[in-house]
Amino acid sequence: QTKQMFESFAAGTPLLASARDELKLHERELRDLGIVSAMVMREKPGYARPSTPLRIRGSFLSPGEIVYADVPKVLNPLPADAMPNRLGLARWLASKDNPLTARVMVNRFWETYFGIGLVETSEDFGTQGALPSHPELLDWMAAEFMESGWDWKHMQKLIVMSNTYRQDSSVTPPLEERDPYNRLLARGPRFRMEAEMLRDVALAASGLLSEKIGGPSVYPYQPAGIWDVPYSSAKWEESAGDDRYRRGLYTFIRRSSPYPSMVTFDAPSRETCTIRRMRTNTPLQALNGLNDPVYFEAARALARRVLAEGGEKEDSRVSYAFRVLTAREAPAAQRNQMLEWLLRERARLQQDPQAALALAGESAGKREDAAEVAAWTLLSNVLLNMDETVTRQ
């Protein structure tokens, strides 16, 4: 409505009369150039079913049998009144007579929250894929999804408010022996978050995360030399300002030189379409989380946040930091352990001012504060890499 009001105003206001005249002059000059436009796509006349000849041995000079647009015969057919075009295909995909679409979608929703779908092979619902662990549940959820008008938010709410999802994720030895992958859903889900989420959690907890939506890809820190390839002169120009702290999904990805921090945490290179990511557990992941400048910068910012918002007492600051990262209170034993470690590191850094200044960076306003800020930075770095921080549990 705002756009329509502006266009109406601009078309009639005397204030823009000269601009309108100039625009008409340029439009006339452009028409006079006689630039020919080439059509690349148009609707075919008539209502004939789209068809194409099969090319014998792939040669475009050897047309063979004519084949017509249709859906796989093993699935339900297109409705009699549906045109065999993209619109007809879209309506067929979202039809209640075709429950496969809804089953695939709700299985992916489930996989997002539980780490593994009701059908484990979420990329393959065919005869070569795995059978559903809970077929009745999958059918019910697919029906509920369609009945709700394909409401994504409704399904997310339904899953996270279920008793199955809200179970404790702790496991006993007998249960782990009987059901190591939690296929029986006898406990809450527990799995490491995906690469982009790990970055977002660190930035959000530290207060650095930019909440800007949309726009071009960004270039956060990555080690030098990743883009040094002989067939391209492109360079990785590191983004400045808030763009350094955009969500992980905005990071520029080059298939031949993928972003190394995310690849370490099993993000795909995008050379092929990846529906289900595999999870690995390697020492390089721990080294990345502890030493990558992105995560260490987040640790510094988290230290500043804890000192500013965590209260005056160290006990309350430790509890605050733990709660920010895990959304729960720290047990007394863990809290005491963190306090002892903090005091030990602070004492060490007070004896080494240069190391303290190097760790604190610009976080320390005064030289005498460097050891304090550096100690909290190290503790924040440890907390950001806790199993409870990087694991969905």
Side-chain angles (χ1 to χ4, degrees):
Q1 290 176 339
T2 302
K3 181 181 178 182
Q4 291 175 348
M5 290 175 61
F6 174 77
E7 291 175 348
S8 178
F9 171 79
T13 176
L15 299 174
L16 298 176
S18 61
R20 289 196 298 270
D21 293 340
E22 185 178 357
L23 178 62
K24 290 179 181 178
L25 175 63
H26 291 317
E27 289 175 344
R28 185 166 59 252
E29 291 175 346
L30 180 62
R31 288 196 301 271
D32 292 343
L33 291 175
I35 298 175
V36 179
S37 59
M39 182 180 294
V40 296
M41 185 180 297
R42 66 178 175 82
E43 292 287 343
K44 285 186 175 181
Y47 297 93
R49 181 179 288 270
S51 63
T52 186
L54 280 177
R55 303 296 175 176
I56 299 174
R57 300 183 66 83
S59 172
F60 73 96
L61 296 175
S62 305
E65 176 189 0
I66 300 294
V67 292
Y68 296 89
D70 207 341
V71 297
K73 295 298 183 183
V74 296
L75 302 176
N76 57 298
L78 279 171
D81 58 345
M83 285 295 296
N85 54 20
R86 288 178 294 175
L87 178 59
L89 177 64
R91 288 174 173 167
W92 174 81
L93 284 171
S95 168
K96 290 185 178 180
D97 295 329
N98 176 28
L100 182 60
T101 303
R103 286 164 59 88
V104 170
M105 287 304 304
V106 298
N107 189 67
R108 293 191 187 178
F109 295 156
W110 192 271
E111 183 180 51
T112 299
Y113 289 102
F114 285 85
I116 184 171
L118 295 171
V119 175
E120 183 178 358
T121 54
S122 54
E123 75 283 5
D124 186 357
F125 264 63
T127 57
Q128 301 299 313
L131 295 175
S133 59
H134 297 72
E136 295 86 356
L137 175 58
L138 182 63
D139 289 343
W140 181 86
M141 289 181 64
E144 177 69 19
F145 187 35
M146 290 187 288
E147 292 296 330
S148 69
W150 304 84
D151 189 335
W152 287 42
K153 289 185 177 180
H154 169 70
M155 297 307 299
Q156 317 296 318
K157 183 178 180 180
L158 193 66
I159 292 174
V160 300
M161 294 187 67
S162 66
N163 289 333
T164 304
Y165 179 78
R166 292 187 292 171
Q167 294 179 105
D168 192 328
S169 62
S170 58
V171 59
T172 60
L175 184 57
E176 184 175 21
E177 181 179 358
R178 181 183 179 189
D179 184 22
Y181 299 108
N182 197 26
R183 301 299 286 149
L184 300 178
L185 304 175
R187 59 185 185 275
R190 186 178 186 277
F191 54 93
R192 195 196 68 221
M193 291 182 288
E194 295 180 346
E196 295 86 348
M197 293 183 184
L198 292 173
R199 174 187 172 86
D200 293 353
V201 165
L203 294 177
S206 65
L208 292 175
L209 182 67
S210 169
E211 297 185 358
K212 179 182 176 182
I213 301 296
S217 298
V218 295
Y219 301 81
Y221 168 85
Q222 76 168 1
I226 301 297
W227 272 29
D228 291 347
V229 291
Y231 54 82
S232 173
S233 60
K235 300 296 182 184
W236 182 276
E237 300 292 343
E238 193 170 318
S239 299
D242 288 346
D243 281 349
R244 295 178 60 186
Y245 311 118
R246 297 290 302 277
R247 289 180 172 88
L249 64 90
Y250 291 111
T251 301
F252 188 91
I253 299 295
R254 185 178 184 178
R255 287 184 298 173
S256 58
S257 306
Y259 191 63
S261 176
M262 292 184 185
V263 172
T264 301
F265 289 103
D266 306 318
S269 65
R270 302 191 184 183
E271 292 176 295
T272 59
C273 181
T274 304
I275 304 301
R276 178 169 57 113
R277 296 186 185 184
M278 298 294 106
R279 289 187 182 87
T280 62
N281 196 7
T282 69
L284 190 58
Q285 293 164 352
L287 293 171
N288 190 95
L290 288 168
N291 298 294
D292 189 307
V294 173
Y295 290 95
F296 201 81
E297 195 171 354
R300 282 176 174 167
L302 179 58
R304 292 197 302 268
R305 181 181 179 185
V306 170
L307 291 171
E309 304 173 7
E312 297 298 327
K313 297 182 179 180
E314 290 176 344
D315 186 75
S316 66
R317 288 175 175 175
V318 166
S319 297
Y320 178 77
F322 190 89
R323 188 168 63 251
V324 164
L325 291 169
T326 64
R328 67 180 180 86
E329 294 293 338
Q334 276 184 287
R335 189 167 60 249
N336 293 334
Q337 188 178 20
M338 287 187 288
L339 281 170
E340 291 175 5
W341 191 88
L342 176 70
L343 294 174
R344 187 169 62 250
E345 288 300 307
R346 181 194 292 152
R348 180 181 66 84
L349 291 166
Q350 285 173 343
Q351 301 299 319
D352 191 350
Q354 294 302 319
L357 286 170
L359 285 170
E362 298 177 0
S363 303
K366 300 178 182 179
R367 186 180 180 89
E368 55 268 24
D369 296 333
E372 179 77 7
V373 175
W376 280 103
T377 297
L378 290 176
L379 179 60
S380 298
N381 193 29
V382 171
L383 295 178
L384 283 170
N385 285 274
M386 284 194 308
D387 182 63
E388 294 167 281
T389 302
V390 302
T391 301
R392 161 66 191 89
Q393 56 184 333

